[in-house]
Structures are given as structure tokens and as C-alpha cells.
Amino acid sequence: MLYNTFMEEIKLNNETRIIFDNLINNGYKCFIVGGCVRDYLMNKTPNDIDFATNATPNQIKECFKDYNVIETGIKHGTLTILINHIPFEITTYRKDGKYLDNRHPESVDFVTNLKDDLERRDFTINAIAYNPKIGFIDYFNGIEDIKNKIIRCVNNPEDRFSEDALRILRALRFSSTLDFEIEEKTKQACHKLSYKIKKISFERIRDELFKIIIQPKAYKIIMEYVDVLAIPIPELLKMQNFEQKNPYHIYTVLEHTCVALKNAKKDLIVCLSILLHDIGKSDTFSIDKNGIGHFYNHQIKSVEIARNILNRLKVDNNTKDKVLKLIKYHDIQINQTKKSVKKLCYKIGDLNLVKKLIEVKKADIYGQSNKFYNRIKDLEKISQILDILESENLKFSLKDLAVNGYDILKLNIEPTKIGKILDFLLKAVLEEKVINDKTELVKYLETNIIIFKE
């Protein structure tokens, strides 16, 4: 289907026009393709602009001999052109050969037909091309699917997912990000072929999963496609139909998690913590004589399971440590006093992470019975205290103390006790027993030195 320029026109920047002009003026065809066209049609600014052309890689290089050309993927026909320090990928029209590993084509063949190039793409909404002189080229009704908010594979979804199983997670991600429904045949193929995800690297799975869970509609995806997400995270299945039998809860563990995620701040650390915060509940479940369900120490079990999951997904240590801390403390009781909040900041060691903990706790409450929503007000008061502490520029790390280990050694203290003494002094500062001044800290320690000389 062809949409001419009178129906819709994309406003192109100068760099994009340079690429069009260089290729077209040399007798080649050129279109912008893929996600950037989809974004333009949805009135969004694309992060990247990709081009497809019937020029071969060598012909592309000749057209841009006055520019910096990087052979980023020349084997697959892709070159990167730097214009005003901005990178643009230009790829020769191609058809993919057989996919032997459910991820990469064994070979690619350069072609001269734009339709052949668009036909190899994953979803109709990503298989639209645009040229400022011709308009939109839309062989697979992608524009209509954008209007109707539909995720649909190009041609047979089982073929698309068998070629590249990561496309299954991409379908879920686009559905979550764009709030589009996945078309029925595409949906069926997602479930049917989900086992093929096992052949995808955990790094690629992690990247798609992270993009899914921070979106407003992530909760819908997790509920409907838990069997798909359970391929990399089988622990999710234990949550699916697990009744909590507890007056605080009206949902299964998975439903509770999804409702919490729906109400969560869209921050990766927060959302990942919520996804995994109750994953140990089924392993710690017990019922008392009144038929009430309990999950004693489920935080500890959830941390253990979450650590295994995060390691499996090859999550970086910084993210992992923060998530595990939030899971560990997500059920902690916090008094609405400055002193109590200071102690929590000291325990966790990071005021900003305590702020995220409050967000996790708020979302957790929204995932419970609405009889307990009044607790949100208490958490709001704690957030206000955190803002005050932040404005006071308080520090919660040993490295911020006005004294260090060398200062302590001068007082003839055993070196093995230095760590405990520094902890003692930091805690005293946070409890406002002494100011964070070197002279005052030494005086305070001398007054209490007997504690450490016994």
C-alpha cells in the first residue's frame, strides 16, 4: 500500500536530508525505515533514524566518501555515517537466509526490491518505509495497525518467531511500551513458541525484560504472559495461583505483585524489586490454627531466590545490590520520626535508596486490601522527613565521618576495634548525640572509650 506525501509528511532534519540527497542524487533509492517511521507516525521523536537503500555497501561508501564512514555491520550490509557527529545507519536492501540458532540468519542476500527488505522485519508497525518525494510505503498495513493499536507479525508469526525468538519478548515489550494489543495469531505464537527463548542469551532477555517492567502496562503483560516470562524466570510460576489466605491480601501472590507494579513509580530499581519482593512467599507459607496464612521470613527467602535470578540474568552488581536491599527491607516498620528515619538511612547506607524503598512500600500497600490504604499517608510523612534530611545534606557513610581509622589509632585503640568504633561514631552523629566535627567526635569517643577497652 502506498501513502503519498500529501496525506502525511515527516519533517526531516538537515542531516537526514543530506543522506537522502547523497543517495538519490547518485541514482539510488532511499527510505527511512523501522521504528523511526513508527515513532513519527505516533508523533514521537525517534532516538535513531535508520535508512534502507538499493545501493550496495561499496556504492554507499562512494556516495559518502567525504564523510566518516564506519563499517559497523558490513557483512549484513550496514554502514554507519557520521554527519555533524551524529551516527546514522544505512543498510542495503536484503533478504535473510535460514535462521539456525533462533536468533541470527546464516546468511543475507542483497536485493533491489524494497518489499523483500520490509518483509523480513518483525512486526507490521516496524515494516513501514518513508521517502519525502514518494511518501509512505506500507505493504503490510502497518499504518492501520498503528491506528488500531495492534502488534501483528509480518506474515506468519510462527515463521517470524522461529527465525528470531527474541521477537517474542519484543512483542511483549512493544505491547507494554505502546499500550497496544497483540493480535490473536501473534499472541498464540508467543505462547506456543516461548520455549525457543531458551536459546537466547540471558543478556538479551534481561534487556527486553527491563524495558517491559518499567512500562505502565507491564502488569497486564506479566499476568497474561507469565508462561512466556517463566522461560527465563521459572520461579514466577510458583506465584501464579498461590492464595495468600491472609486478611491483608485479596489477591494471589502474582496478582498482588502485578497490582503493586501497576501502582509503582516507573523506575527500574523499584519495579525490579517489586517484581521479586514476594517471590519467596510460597516457600515460607504456613497456616495457623485460625486458618490464617503467614509468610515468616519470606523477605530472606525472596532475597535468596532473587539473587539467583539476578545472577542468571547477569544483572550488574550495583543494580543487584540495590534490588536485594529493597527486597530485604520491604516489610520493615518505620516510625514517623526523624531519628527513626535517620537510623534506616544508616542501616541502608543511601538516602536515595531509602526513597526508593518508600516507593516499593507504597506500591506493596496498593497491592493489598484497600482497607489498608490509609498506611500510604504514613509513608508520605516519611518521604517528607527524607526530603528534610536531604536538604540538610546529611551523610550516611563512614567515609563522610570527620574522623578516620588513623585518628582512632592515635588513641591507643586496638586496630581490630576500629571498624566498630567508626560505626559507633556514625550512629551517634545520626542520633544527634554529637556533631560531625573531628574535635567533638574525639571528645565523644574519649568519654565512651571504656566500652571498647573491656
Side-chain angles (χ1 to χ4, degrees), residues 1-3 8 10 31-42 50-52 114-115 117-119 121-131 135-147 150 154 180:
M1 183 185 296
L2 176 66
Y3 284 75
E8 193 85 47
I10 291 176
F31 294 86
I32 57 173
V33 292
C36 62
V37 182
R38 178 198 70 232
D39 288 343
Y40 276 127
L41 287 167
M42 296 181 67
D50 296 328
F51 295 80
L114 175 63
K115 184 176 181 181
D117 183 79
L118 296 176
E119 198 165 20
R121 297 174 186 268
D122 51 8
F123 308 110
T124 60
I125 62 173
N126 296 332
I128 308 166
Y130 175 81
N131 175 297
F136 291 92
I137 300 292
D138 182 21
Y139 294 108
F140 308 103
N141 296 318
I143 293 176
E144 199 65 26
D145 281 342
I146 290 174
K147 290 178 181 177
I150 295 293
V154 174
F180 282 19

Side-chain angles (χ1 to χ4, degrees), residues 299-309 324:
Q299 308 95 317
I300 296 172
K301 189 64 180 178
S302 292
V303 166
E304 177 188 324
I305 296 171
R307 180 180 285 108
N308 291 334
I309 293 169
L324 294 179

Side-chain angles (χ1 to χ4, degrees), residues 203 206-207 210 268-269 272 307 309-324:
E203 291 90 341
R206 174 201 63 214
D207 293 346
F210 282 7
L268 177 61
I269 301 295
L272 193 52
R307 180 180 285 108
I309 293 169
L310 297 174
N311 285 338
R312 186 189 313 147
L313 294 174
K314 302 186 186 303
V315 174
D316 67 273
N317 287 333
N318 182 48
T319 299
K320 180 171 62 178
D321 291 345
K322 288 179 178 179
V323 169
L324 294 179

Side-chain angles (χ1 to χ4, degrees), residues 216-240:
K217 301 299 179 180
Y219 69 98
K220 288 177 62 178
I221 296 299
I222 294 169
M223 285 300 299
E224 189 169 357
Y225 296 92
V226 66
D227 59 315
V228 177
L229 297 174
I231 298 300
I233 312 178
E235 295 88 346
L236 292 174
L237 294 178
K238 294 168 102 176
M239 302 162 63
Q240 188 173 17

Side-chain angles (χ1 to χ4, degrees), residues 95-121:
K95 289 183 72 171
D96 294 338
K98 290 184 178 180
Y99 287 72
L100 300 181
D101 61 355
N102 296 112
R103 183 74 187 98
H104 303 98
E106 184 183 24
S107 61
V108 298
D109 293 319
F110 298 143
V111 295
T112 57
N113 187 332
L114 175 63
K115 184 176 181 181
D116 287 339
D117 183 79
L118 296 176
E119 198 165 20
R120 69 181 175 82
R121 297 174 186 268

